[in-house]
Amino acid sequence: MTQLTHNQDLSETKALSENYVDTVTHRPGSVILYPGSSDMLYRVQSGLIRIHTMDDDGNGLTLRYVKPGEYFGEEALSGTERAYFAEAVTDSAVDVINPALMSSEDNLMVTGHLVRTLERAYESIFRLVGKRLRARIAAELLELKDTALATQLDSGETMIYATHDELAAAVGSVRETVTKVVGELSRDGVISAGYGKITLKDEAALAEIAAS
């Protein structure tokens, strides 16, 4: 599948830089968008944004993470209603873009982003439907490895700041079950888990589990 490269991120940022309305910073936990309508498009400049929804019982489900160079709020392009929340996971800077100022080339770039986002959504749906929880958790940890939630330790290992509740929302499960699987992965030496953080001890093994 098509991969979003760092060079693509930079070229899109440069191409659309004249069309942004403002750059707004958000603290962790800040809700940027609520369900409803909007006439603005958003691009993450730095940090990490979580797109999530809630069911009738108040249970949260993470739909996707938006990384630097990526967009959200695409419904502004079609005038449709938004059915999700957008929340800053880390300190984040977000460009607010007026679609009315975008050129045809700009629209083509955003369309390319939407195609890649849809591809990742297909992958996520496949994991939720066709993969066991152990594989879904492994895949999610590898996905978070390349976000602002991750930090490189002196040992060369990657540590991810994520709670079991957050993992559960991302993999379509509940905290108690996720805690059980995280414990199993820890005993197998694939990861080590502490309060609100998980260290990837064997990324090759995690990749094998994610693919199983």
Side-chain angles (χ1 to χ4, degrees):
M1 292 186 175
T2 304
Q3 296 295 316
L4 180 63
T5 65
H6 181 63
N7 288 336
Q8 285 175 304
D9 289 348
L10 292 178
S11 64
E12 290 186 8
T13 299
K14 182 178 180 181
L16 288 172
S17 62
E18 296 179 356
N19 295 335
Y20 76 87
V21 174
D22 199 3
T23 299
V24 183
T25 58
H26 298 275
R27 298 288 295 168
S30 300
V31 178
I32 302 169
L33 293 178
Y34 290 88
S37 60
S38 174
D39 56 0
M40 293 296 176
L41 177 68
Y42 301 84
R43 179 183 59 215
V44 179
Q45 190 179 108
S46 64
L48 186 68
I49 306 300
R50 182 171 74 103
I51 305 299
H52 65 98
T53 188
M54 300 183 72
D55 61 23
D56 293 338
D57 296 324
N59 299 312
L61 175 65
T62 298
L63 301 176
R64 66 184 176 102
Y65 288 102
V66 190
K67 303 175 184 179
E70 298 179 347
Y71 300 82
F72 62 100
E74 301 90 348
E75 62 280 348
L77 301 174
S78 61
T80 56
E81 289 284 310
R82 180 174 50 253
Y84 60 81
F85 297 86
E87 177 184 347
V89 180
T90 65
D91 286 318
S92 303
V94 176
D95 294 333
V96 184
I97 301 166
N98 186 344
L101 301 178
M102 292 169 55
S103 67
S104 57
E105 291 80 8
D106 294 336
N107 278 288
L108 184 60
M109 286 184 180
V110 174
T111 299
H113 156 76
L114 293 177
V115 170
R116 292 187 291 270
T117 299
L118 189 58
E119 287 178 342
R120 291 204 301 273
Y122 288 154
E123 292 172 351
S124 296
I125 292 171
F126 174 74
R127 285 200 301 267
L128 285 172
V129 175
K131 296 283 189 177
R132 298 174 59 188
L133 182 59
R134 182 181 174 93
R136 303 204 305 266
I137 290 175
E140 184 66 19
L141 290 174
L142 291 174
E143 176 76 14
L144 293 174
K145 174 181 178 291
D146 297 318
T147 71
L149 288 176
T151 186
Q152 199 79 7
L153 301 178
D154 292 338
S155 62
E157 297 168 336
T158 300
M159 184 173 68
I160 298 168
Y161 293 95
T163 67
H164 293 184
D165 281 319
E166 291 165 342
L167 277 179
V171 300
S173 185
V174 295
R175 178 180 55 81
E176 293 78 10
T177 308
V178 166
T179 297
K180 179 176 180 294
V181 175
V182 167
E184 293 172 356
L185 292 173
S186 296
R187 288 191 292 274
D188 291 342
V190 180
I191 64 174
S192 65
Y195 182 74
K197 55 189 177 183
I198 295 174
T199 301
L200 310 187
K201 308 292 289 185
D202 191 338
E203 293 184 24
L206 267 182
E208 289 183 7
I209 295 169
S212 63

